Amino acid sequence: MVSLLRNLARRGPRQWIIPMATLALLGGIPCLPAQDNPAQDNPTQAKVSQFVEEILESEVELKVGLRRSKIIRMKQDVFRVAMADPEVVEVVAFGSREIEVIGKQTGSTTVTLWLGNPQQSQTLSLLVSVAKDDAVDDRRRMEYGELQTMLNELFPNSKVQLFPVADKLIVRGQARDEQEAVQIMSVLRKNAGNFLGGSQQLVQNGQASEPFPDASTLPQANIVNMMAVPGEKQVMLKVRIAELKRSAVRNLGVNLDVAFKEFFVKSALTSGSNLAVSGLFSEGQFNLFIKALATNGSAKILAEPNLVTLSGQTATFLSGGEFAVPTVVGVGGAQAATTSFKGYGTSIRFTPTVLDHDRIRLQVTPTFSTLNRNNAVNGIFGLDTRTVNTVVDLREGQVLALAGLLQEEQRGENVRVPGLGDVPLLRTFFSSKTMSRDETELIILVTPELVHPLEAEDAPTLLPGMEVTEPDDVEFFCKGHIEGRPECHHRSTVWPIYRDRLCECRKKQNTGYQDSQNYYINGPSGFSQ
């Protein structure tokens, strides 16, 4: 120990040289008790003492701020510099005795300097710690605080709070309505336009814009939107769809059957038929049948769906059907067939957005499609489609009417026998004419209303169909009733057992009927125990 202290005193206070006897404390070598000849008893320690002269540790701790630097002036020339982690700090030399240590990333690393004569150099080890720059956080809070003040002045009916936290910008507060909330987020979000589309823009997070573009650039921040918009956000759309179809068909054709002695001529010409001429050896005969047909038809479709959706979400209604569309995926031998279903009929998509307390922006996309068998491909029907896409603003309770959706289709067909059908006097007997006309009129009425869920005590207890019961044997077989009385819960599946138990209960007590009823009727669901 005395020799160790003398060696440290000779080295001076700036550099510590640790003999190998103390490597147990620094390098993890097991500490051995003092012996007369440790090299003979411990071969590992003897080998380390043979090759390692000294181990240097960090002697000075230097603190540097992020994106800041410190200049160190040395008393001796520096001819070599080593950095353990160049990502944390950067060392720049100015001459032979001045170096600049620049903080690049928060953390700590070791910088080693070799000074003096390269033949007899001295080593200095620095522990450089790079801390975060508090000035950047202060500037972020100051600039976003000024932006918060401007937003509150620009939107006096809303309250906005901006909190820069880590690499996030927290946006809190309360907006007057969704339109104003979208405008606030458009100001805060980078590269955002003034789009008033609805609440989809509210939930989309993105990069925050710089509060003052001409100032120094702040670290990039991502917006976390925590804005709240008061009021009801559930919209019920009362939809009434009325469609009226009219059709008219007129046909005219002649069937002629004439036989002259030994020659027979027959004409049975209707739509798509041909003239047939054949010989017949019999007595003369003449038959004439004139076919004239006029058909008028009409069809009415009325649907009154009520759709409930959140503000900014899409509700869909389809009145019609679907047909299968097979699809082959793959090439060559690696093919697989899938089937998807395509809808047709009356389909409507609504996207309501609550802009104010009772003002709603409604995007409506009605689509009307019918099957077209003439436009079939590989046996799959085609579609005749009519679609409209519009956006309107209306108050709660007002009615949006999509009217004037008329469609008229007229078809005519004239089939005649070449030659005979062109003669004016014979045209009627050798031709067939068909004319049809289809008229479709459609009107859609939409009324938006702001709604909220019912409480449990306000929900209706009597639902449609709950009072419909099964008739008993007398009412069904004798009177022909298919519905029973609401107060009589006759059940054909358990009626024999129910009747026997009812008789037994009536014999025991007067309230047996109620007890038997409670046994088989358990609550409003109507299931037996």
Side-chain angles (χ1 to χ4, degrees), residues 193-218:
N194 188 16
F195 177 72
L196 305 179
S199 60
Q200 293 94 338
Q201 295 293 316
L202 294 179
V203 299
Q204 290 180 358
N205 300 323
Q207 293 183 350
S209 60
E210 298 178 3
F212 304 98
D214 58 342
S216 59
T217 305
L218 292 175

Side-chain angles (χ1 to χ4, degrees), residues 329-342:
V329 181
V331 179
Q335 292 183 352
T338 60
T339 302
S340 60
F341 289 86
K342 181 70 175 179

Side-chain angles (χ1 to χ4, degrees), residues 7-176:
N7 192 7
L8 295 177
R10 288 197 304 267
R11 295 290 182 179
R14 298 188 58 184
Q15 185 176 9
W16 298 89
I17 299 177
I18 304 174
M20 300 312 301
T22 60
L23 283 177
L25 300 177
L26 301 177
I29 301 177
C31 183
L32 299 176
Q35 297 180 359
D36 295 338
N37 192 359
Q40 297 179 357
D41 298 337
N42 193 341
T44 303
Q45 185 175 1
K47 184 176 180 179
V48 173
S49 301
Q50 180 181 358
F51 293 101
V52 179
E53 180 180 357
E54 59 184 3
I55 296 178
L56 302 181
E57 285 189 334
S58 300
E59 302 161 346
V60 178
E61 183 179 359
L62 181 64
K63 293 184 179 181
V64 182
L66 183 63
R67 292 183 294 274
R68 298 290 187 271
S69 66
K70 286 185 178 181
I71 297 178
I72 304 176
R73 294 178 179 175
M74 312 299 296
K75 294 182 179 180
Q76 297 183 16
D77 294 339
V78 179
F79 62 89
R80 186 188 301 169
V81 178
M83 293 172 290
D85 190 357
E87 299 293 334
V88 177
V89 296
E90 181 181 359
V91 178
V92 180
F94 300 99
S96 59
R97 294 194 177 188
E98 289 184 356
I99 62 173
E100 182 181 14
V101 181
I102 304 173
K104 297 172 58 178
Q105 182 179 332
T106 57
S108 60
T109 185
T110 302
V111 177
T112 306
L113 306 176
W114 282 265
L115 304 92
N117 188 358
Q119 304 299 329
Q120 296 179 354
S121 63
Q122 294 184 357
T123 307
L124 177 63
S125 181
L126 304 177
L127 178 60
V128 182
S129 300
V130 181
K132 68 181 184 68
D133 190 2
D134 295 334
V136 176
D137 295 339
D138 296 338
R139 186 160 54 87
R140 290 181 65 193
R141 286 191 290 267
M142 179 190 66
E143 293 186 5
Y144 282 117
E146 295 180 4
L147 180 60
Q148 172 183 320
T149 303
M150 289 188 291
L151 286 175
N152 289 322
E153 293 178 358
L154 184 61
F155 304 98
N157 296 322
S158 301
K159 183 175 179 58
V160 183
Q161 295 177 336
L162 303 180
F163 298 97
V165 178
D167 61 339
K168 307 291 190 302
L169 177 62
I170 310 299
V171 183
R172 293 187 57 189
Q174 188 178 84
R176 179 177 180 270

